Amino acid sequence: MNHRPTGRGTRAALALTALVGSAALAALPVTTASASDPAAAGGVAVQYRTSATGASADQSEPWLKVRNTGSAAVQLQQVKVRYYFKADAPGATYRFACSWAVRGCSAVTGTFGTLARPTATADRYLEIGFTSAAGTLAPGADTGDMQLRFHRSSWQPLIQSDDYSFDGTRTSYADFTKVTAQLAGTTVWGTAPEGNDPTDPTDPPTDPPGGGQTLFDDFSYTSHTDPALAAHGWNVRSNSGGPGVPGATWDPSKVTFAAQNGSTVMNLETSTAGTGASTRHTEVLTRATKFRNGTYAARVRFSDAPKSGPDGDRLVQTFFTINDLKAPMADDYAEYDFEYLPNGGWGEPANILYTTSWETYNPDPWQAVNQHSESRRSFAGWHDLVVTIDDSAITYYVDGQLFGTHGAAYLPERPMSINFNQWLIDLDGQTSTTPRAYDQQVDYVLHVKDQVLTPAQVAAKVSAYRAAGTAFTDQVPGS
């Protein structure tokens, strides 16, 4: 599988070309309304439009603004907005995403609930809330654009024409009373479907989280030809192509397994003697493209220096998820990377660790739509890498510490594979023909479908598998 275009290795700087979404606006330093009497100083109104106007669609797109109609500022964390719709099938489940918001998608939440008294046009609702990062609304101000969307978990088409809160004629923002708003628990805007006051205490809670199916592998194999490796869903790459040095070989024989500290680790070796023909890259990836939201984790050993020969090659050591780019700038592309460059590259002079979340790209001429975080220091040695993906953000951790959080604009629309590889960006400036070789090692990989685990929970889950003697399990259903 050619997981990246060859041209990617020739760009000046991967992450520095990112087109990053707007940051959250600073909160205004004004007095807020009392939570004990939110209506005393006024309330809020909701404006609505849609960018998916058809009677049916792949996803519904209720775009909203919340406006302060009172005389005192409102804490957005006290505001809840409900959009009402009719489920497309018994038991159908839905996923929420924020494509863009003036105050930042990370400040906007979305959960689904079931109405206590279903009507002909509504038996579910999407409830929009705000985190403390959303700040406050001054009197007369609004939140600005919130470009929201939701879809069936199965990605089957949904019918909008029978939804209580849908109006396909509204393509410009205007006040809309078929969505409701609560301020500190009191309904201050809109009319709910008959008999379904948003504050009704009998209203059932939001849908419980699903998922939890797990892939775990501690790479207890004997060699790249071990039949269990393929039986467990792994592909050791041998096909030609990018990324990296033109003319290089992706060499399965350079993927080996060895006992280390009581367990088995996978070793990816990359080597060169200064020419494309002498360069050997390595990659191991899942055959299945079935992984999407949830938690991904791996324990990876990065190397700053070669195990033999002279140092200085621009190397990339990775753990990532990815799907295929169906066309330049296709918006259903997804990729989430840990990439360590021990000797710099892409315009960086020295070691740097990137985490990058991709929306899409154009290989020629190069254009990248992504968001990145980075740390410019040595990461030689073992590291616990965790990335979580839910319906609002992508969050990266290194050794239990938050490394970066990326916005909902970069969430995946399609399932992905799980990959590890090590490769050379280029041989520019390298005149040595002395052979040299570099190692990257992997202790384990874990994926938990549709559930966000903390790094501590990841460690506990891995420890439990090992205590039980479980070397491999894959419960994740196919896409």
Side-chain angles (χ1 to χ4, degrees):
M1 177 178 177
N2 181 7
H3 90 280
R4 296 182 187 177
T6 304
R8 179 162 177 181
T10 64
R11 66 188 181 277
L14 160 69
L16 300 183
T17 59
L19 306 178
V20 181
S22 299
L25 298 179
L28 296 172
V30 290
T31 304
T32 58
S34 167
S36 61
D37 187 14
V44 298
V46 180
Q47 296 186 329
Y48 161 84
R49 61 156 293 191
T50 181
S51 64
T53 59
S56 64
D58 290 334
Q59 54 188 351
S60 188
E61 299 184 29
W63 293 10
L64 303 173
K65 291 182 182 180
V66 176
R67 180 167 53 89
N68 183 353
T69 59
S71 58
V74 168
Q75 293 178 348
L76 279 170
Q77 198 171 15
Q78 296 181 342
V79 176
K80 300 289 186 184
V81 176
R82 286 189 181 179
Y83 177 96
Y84 301 90
F85 65 97
K86 187 172 181 63
D88 294 276
T93 59
Y94 294 83
R95 295 285 182 264
F96 164 79
C98 170
S99 295
W100 189 79
V102 170
R103 295 193 175 225
C105 280
S106 61
V108 180
T109 64
T111 54
F112 294 96
T114 304
L115 291 178
R117 286 167 287 278
T119 71
T121 58
D123 53 15
R124 305 284 184 90
Y125 61 83
L126 168 63
E127 183 170 275
I128 302 302
F130 301 89
T131 70
S132 59
T136 60
L137 272 185
D142 64 52
T143 58
D145 228 3
M146 293 188 292
Q147 297 180 10
L148 312 178
R149 55 190 171 92
F150 66 92
H151 58 84
R152 293 184 64 176
S153 300
S154 63
W155 277 102
Q156 293 175 276
L158 51 77
I159 305 300
Q160 302 189 101
S161 55
D162 60 356
D163 292 346
Y164 177 85
S165 296
F166 172 73
D167 187 340
T169 67
R170 291 181 177 259
T171 56
S172 300
Y173 278 113
D175 287 356
F176 190 59
T177 58
K178 285 195 170 183
V179 294
T180 59
Q182 297 175 68
L183 179 56
T186 298
T187 302
V188 295
W189 176 263
T191 303
E194 185 176 0
N196 289 280
D197 190 297
T199 60
D200 191 333
T202 65
D203 196 19
T206 57
D207 294 338
Q213 298 95 335
T214 300
L215 164 70
F216 171 74
D217 200 335
D218 73 355
F219 296 109
S220 295
Y221 304 105
T222 58
S223 73
H224 74 281
T225 59
D226 188 334
L229 192 63
H232 290 169
W234 294 103
N235 175 39
V236 184
R237 181 177 173 180
S238 60
N239 60 292
S240 62
V245 175
T249 298
W250 294 85
D251 190 344
S253 73
K254 299 299 183 180
V255 176
T256 57
F257 301 85
Q260 188 175 110
N261 299 324
S263 63
T264 303
V265 299
M266 177 171 66
N267 191 83
L268 286 73
E269 178 188 297
T270 291
S271 61
T272 188
T275 65
S278 67
T279 301
R280 299 290 183 269
H281 295 155
T282 44
E283 180 167 18
V284 177
L285 63 152
T286 59
R287 294 179 183 275
T289 304
K290 63 177 183 177
F291 308 97
R292 193 172 169 190
N293 284 18
T295 299
Y296 300 83
R299 184 166 173 79
V300 177
R301 184 178 181 274
F302 297 130
S303 301
D304 276 354
K307 67 178 180 180
S308 62
D311 198 0
D313 292 290
R314 288 190 279 263
L315 186 72
V316 184
Q317 301 174 331
T318 76
F319 165 46
F320 63 100
T321 67
I322 195 170
N323 59 32
D324 58 321
L325 182 74
K326 293 186 176 298
M329 303 304 287
D331 62 5
D332 61 350
Y333 177 74
E335 180 180 350
Y336 307 96
D337 299 328
F338 289 92
E339 292 177 309
Y340 181 54
L341 283 59
N343 291 317
W346 297 331
E348 291 290 329
N351 40 30
I352 185 169
L353 176 64
Y354 285 113
T355 60
T356 309
S357 301
W358 289 80
E359 170 62 14
T360 190
Y361 68 94
N362 185 1
D364 188 19
W366 179 256
Q367 182 181 1
V369 183
N370 61 37
Q371 184 175 357
H372 77 277
S373 305
E374 77 281 330
S375 179
R376 292 174 175 83
R377 67 173 180 85
S378 172
F379 281 84
W382 285 103
H383 296 282
D384 294 302
L385 310 178
V386 176
V387 56
T388 65
I389 304 172
D390 59 20
D391 286 335
S392 60
I394 306 103
T395 307
Y396 296 87
Y397 300 88
V398 177
D399 298 330
Q401 300 299 308
L402 178 65
F403 191 90
T405 301
H406 300 166
Y410 306 95
L411 291 171
E413 284 85 4
R414 290 190 289 119
M416 302 170 287
S417 61
I418 297 174
N419 304 49
F420 300 90
N421 67 15
Q422 183 179 223
W423 48 282
L424 298 177
I425 296 172
D426 53 44
L427 296 170
D428 294 352
Q430 292 292 99
T431 59
S432 174
T433 57
T434 303
R436 55 267 193 191
Y438 300 82
D439 282 345
Q440 173 188 339
Q441 295 179 330
V442 183
D443 183 21
Y444 72 81
V445 67
L446 173 76
H447 171 68
V448 181
K449 177 180 169 60
D450 291 336
Q451 290 188 1
V452 170
L453 274 59
T454 66
Q457 289 171 323
V458 166
K461 198 169 187 71
V462 171
S463 295
Y465 277 127
R466 288 183 159 164
T470 303
F472 173 82
T473 184
D474 185 3
Q475 308 159 343
V476 181
S479 57

